[in-house]
Amino acid sequence: MLDAILDTAPGSVVSVPALLGGKWIGDGPSAERIGPYTRTVVSRARVAEPGDARQAAEYAKASARTVARLAPATRATILQRAAELAIAHREAIARLVALELGKPLKDGRGELDRVADTFAVCAAEARQIGGDVLPVAGWARGVGNTALTYRAPAGVALAITPFNAPANLLAHKLGASFAAGNSTIVKAPPQAPAVSAAIVAVLLAAGAPVESVQLLHGGGDVGAALCAAPEVAVISFTGSAETGAAVARAAGAKRLVLELGGNAATIVCDDADLAAAARVCARTGYTNSGQSCISVQRIYVARACFERFVDLLSTEVATLRVGDPLDPRTDVGSMVDEQAAERVLSWATEAAGGGARITVGGSRDGATLTPTVVADPPADASVVTQEVFGALVTVLPFDDFDEVLRTCNNSRFGLQAGLFTGDIGRILTAWRELEVGGLIVNGSSNFRLDHIPFGGVKDSGFGRESPRHMIEDYTVVKTLMLRDLSIWGEN
């Protein structure tokens, strides 16, 4: 199936099947994906019919034992092969990313490099799943007993993935779930059905049994039905806070890992290398047209350096090459659709009406928004208080370090932050005081290593994504108590 998905001739529409009950299914109702840059149909996916969610849940439950019985070494070998296949098909899958989402080809290649790393890390973590011998004899009632634990597969995992990094975020969820020994149901984003199918097909081509994964396409109704299915034991969702709340309501008493976005802040102090900070913020503020939950959105700059930094940032942003995502030289392609681009542009216009300066950008062509810098917007402007999730960065001055930390925290989100300074006192204070899941020092908020814990607080969700931490969520601790089989001490 991998070759069938990837070998579509340039300019042709990619036919995307579902994987249901152990079979790839192409017949049935379908939905078209219009590429945001090409403005033509680029893929056509078989969408779920009534009853498909129920069938998927029942099949996954029946198949869970098959996957759980695979030795961890076997799972690790399959995941390592998947990493190698991701690199082997890097160009073809990156092209699908560009077509379905408008993400520049070079960014898609980078995402596939991360897919390979993620599968490889999942392989390594699969080899490390174990348990503990518990110190029960340290308490009087425990003397003479032995207790052991091990991590068992949860059973059925549901992975609901977003459009902005459809390959790597699926690799995180699917790779960790398979490493843990679960059967996984994937609900793909409607904007990236072909990319999602390709990553699922990579794992199967690497040797994963067909019982290990199913793939459904469709909208929120499909996701809600899967969330409510009693067979599902754990759900991992990446998306908006509002949809995350709906997932939690539908799921009920199930394990949840929710990564729900943010409006990330980066602080530039008066001792920072302004030119270097401006280069990093320009590069990481517009990657994937700013459609990242940790994309640089709010940059707070020490007032003495503010105007200089705005000039440096605006100059760097103006050099970004905007255009065809299939052109390897393109830095910024299109956003996911015209509605998203118009929303971000309207927020920029709103900020300008409140006294802000648009120093570069501020226009769009279809779904392509020219990289935009908004300087000194009102504190209550949408570009400051909401998640922009687009090709726009705001720059605001600050006078006092403790005050700017409080300002950064004055947000319902708390995913990740950046800090440019060489002052260890400021670094430790920010690490302690900022209400975020992670702090990047001498870098912007938009940096992530796939094997490091990642996740947020407040409306940015809970749980941590990285193979090791996700495996903990995808497994359950089982305890074995051996009574009167120990000669350890006397009571």
Side-chain angles (χ1 to χ4, degrees):
M1 181 53 64
L2 181 59
D3 289 340
I5 295 169
L6 298 181
D7 287 348
T8 305
S12 300
V13 176
V14 181
S15 296
V16 186
L19 178 57
L20 178 63
K23 299 178 181 178
W24 289 100
I25 301 172
D27 295 335
S30 65
E32 296 179 338
R33 171 59 181 166
I34 297 176
Y37 185 83
T38 64
R39 309 184 197 188
T40 61
V41 176
V42 294
S43 60
R44 184 177 294 110
R46 193 273 189 185
V47 297
E49 296 184 279
D52 282 355
R54 175 96 311 267
Q55 181 183 344
E58 292 174 353
Y59 179 83
K61 182 70 173 179
S63 302
R65 188 175 295 274
T66 298
V67 186
R69 285 178 171 172
L70 291 176
T74 301
R75 296 179 221 147
T77 298
I78 291 168
L79 286 162
Q80 187 59 51
R81 288 179 190 149
E84 295 163 2
L85 284 174
I87 292 300
H89 296 284
R90 176 177 183 254
E91 290 298 315
I93 300 177
R95 181 177 177 275
L96 283 183
V97 172
L99 288 172
E100 287 195 316
L101 297 168
K103 179 183 288 190
L105 190 62
K106 61 182 178 183
D107 289 342
R109 290 167 176 164
E111 184 173 348
L112 266 295
D113 291 339
R114 291 179 63 184
V115 167
D117 286 348
T118 298
F119 277 142
V121 173
C122 289
E125 294 296 340
R127 302 182 191 278
Q128 303 298 319
I129 300 174
D132 297 293
V133 178
L134 303 179
V136 294
W139 283 262
R141 292 188 64 244
V143 173
N145 301 296
T146 301
L148 306 95
T149 66
Y150 84 98
R151 287 194 167 273
V156 177
L158 171 60
I160 304 179
T161 56
F163 72 81
N164 59 320
N168 190 41
L169 293 181
L170 175 53
H172 270 278
K173 299 177 191 301
L174 179 57
S177 181
F178 181 71
N182 295 311
S183 180
T184 309
I185 304 171
V186 176
K187 161 60 177 67
Q191 303 91 341
V195 175
S196 304
I199 298 302
V200 168
V202 161
L203 185 64
L204 292 174
V210 72
E211 293 89 349
S212 64
V213 60
Q214 297 178 88
L215 171 67
L216 295 184
H217 307 282
D221 57 332
V222 179
L226 291 169
C227 287
E231 294 85 354
V232 172
V234 57
I235 300 170
S236 176
F237 169 82
T238 302
S240 71
E242 292 71 24
T243 306
V247 166
R249 289 192 297 270
K254 294 184 176 72
R255 289 188 180 199
L256 297 174
V257 181
L258 303 178
E259 197 274 278
L260 304 179
N263 62 346
T266 292
I267 302 170
V268 180
C269 294
D270 53 10
D271 66 327
D273 182 333
L274 295 184
R279 284 194 298 272
V280 170
C281 289
R283 185 174 68 249
T284 57
Y286 303 94
T287 304
N288 195 20
S289 292
Q291 296 170 127
S292 168
C293 51
I294 52 175
S295 185
V296 180
Q297 179 175 330
R298 299 178 290 157
I299 307 176
Y300 292 95
V301 183
R303 190 174 296 277
C305 311
F306 178 72
E307 292 299 340
R308 174 66 176 152
F309 182 85
V310 170
D311 289 343
L312 289 168
L313 178 67
S314 300
T315 299
E316 291 286 344
V317 171
T319 66
L320 296 173
R321 187 183 182 97
V322 182
D324 185 351
L326 288 174
D327 184 341
R329 299 169 297 175
T330 295
D331 298 307
V332 180
S334 59
M335 293 182 60
V336 67
D337 55 41
E338 291 191 25
Q339 291 76 19
E342 176 56 31
R343 173 186 57 79
V344 176
L345 182 57
S346 70
W347 286 4
T349 303
E350 170 196 83
R357 292 175 287 146
I358 298 178
T359 63
V360 65
S363 63
R364 74 174 179 94
D365 179 8
T368 302
L369 179 68
T370 305
T372 301
V373 173
V374 178
D376 208 6
D380 61 351
S382 297
V383 292
V384 178
T385 62
Q386 303 299 315
E387 182 177 26
V388 169
F389 214 69
L392 182 151
V393 171
T394 63
V395 192
L396 306 97
F398 75 88
D399 296 299
D400 177 78
F401 188 70
D402 290 334
E403 179 62 30
V404 78
L405 297 182
R406 289 190 290 270
T407 299
C408 291
N409 289 338
N410 187 25
S411 169
R412 68 188 183 103
F413 298 108
L415 187 52
Q416 199 153 273
L419 174 63
F420 287 90
T421 186
D423 186 327
I424 188 63
R426 286 172 171 169
I427 292 169
L428 294 177
T429 299
W431 186 30
R432 182 181 65 245
E433 298 295 334
L434 285 174
E435 297 170 355
V436 293
L439 174 64
I440 311 300
V441 177
N442 291 327
S444 77
S445 60
N446 195 3
F447 182 75
R448 179 182 178 184
L449 296 176
D450 292 292
H451 60 290
I452 299 300
F454 177 79
V457 298
K458 301 192 286 189
D459 278 0
S460 288
F462 50 82
R464 292 295 178 265
E465 288 198 347
S466 75
R468 175 175 298 180
H469 290 77
M470 293 189 78
I471 286 171
E472 291 181 359
D473 286 309
Y474 285 148
T475 54
V476 295
V477 175
K478 297 186 72 172
T479 302
L480 176 66
M481 179 71 75
L482 303 174
R483 298 293 310 278
D484 301 325
L485 294 179
S486 173
I487 58 171
W488 184 286
E490 298 181 357
N491 189 12

